[in-house]
Amino acid sequence: MDEPTVVVGVVTGVHGLRGEVSVQNRSDNPDRWTPGGTVFGEDGTELTISASRHHGRRLLVTFDGISDRSGAEALRGTVLVVPETWLPDLPEGEWWAHQLEGCEVRTVSGRILGVLREVIPNPANDLWVAVDDEGRETLVPALADLLIDVDVAARSVVVDDVPGLTAPDEQEDEPGSEKG
């Protein structure tokens, strides 16, 4: 594919004998898996959705041309993507996870937490993984009260200083230290 893509799912397994696969859904778009929709394998293979349904916590999908278990097995592990240009526009103040990756994360006091390497989806709120030059990770909860400024164009995220979370623990006096 010639343009940037976004991961929308991963084929994690096979379900039954008629070509149905289990997909780990990574898309927020409720229409992503509707019949007639298209996704691509990372190699550019076009896959048209013929059916999809929820089965417990899993999403089961059938693609056109995949009608048996061996065809479905061939898809196991396939990362499913769509072109970035297919994503709908978001309201002001919202971002796609892939837009945040690579942004520098720092606190309002100027402490560099590192580069945002990953956005971990969570039911309550996403967690942003910032990794500094020494390899230390800081997990930053994506909470409105913690996020001061997000400037995707400038590749910059500013968060509030929170002792024990984004700021080192402040210790008044170390045991055994002398004041002079």
Side-chain angles (χ1 to χ4, degrees), residues 6 8 27 29 32 82-90 96 98:
V6 177
V8 294
S27 175
N29 182 348
R32 174 66 58 219
V82 296
E84 190 174 311
T85 56
W86 288 12
L87 297 177
D89 292 330
L90 292 175
W96 295 109
H98 72 277

Side-chain angles (χ1 to χ4, degrees), residues 104-122:
E104 179 185 71
V105 182
R106 69 182 185 286
T107 66
V108 289
S109 66
R111 179 171 175 258
I112 304 296
L113 300 179
V115 175
L116 201 151
R117 296 277 186 232
E118 181 182 5
V119 175
I120 301 171
N122 242 348

Side-chain angles (χ1 to χ4, degrees), residues 25-58:
N25 182 19
R26 295 190 185 169
S27 175
D28 290 334
N29 182 348
D31 299 326
R32 174 66 58 219
W33 305 105
T34 57
T38 302
V39 295
F40 298 88
E42 279 188 311
D43 64 357
T45 304
E46 185 173 340
L47 297 164
T48 301
I49 300 159
S50 57
S52 69
R53 63 189 175 102
H54 290 279
H55 184 319
R57 299 178 80 185
R58 300 185 304 167

Side-chain angles (χ1 to χ4, degrees), residues 148-167:
I148 303 301
D149 183 52
V150 177
D151 189 340
V152 173
R155 312 300 297 145
S156 172
V157 174
V158 179
V159 298
D160 201 4
D161 289 288
V162 178
L165 180 64
T166 62

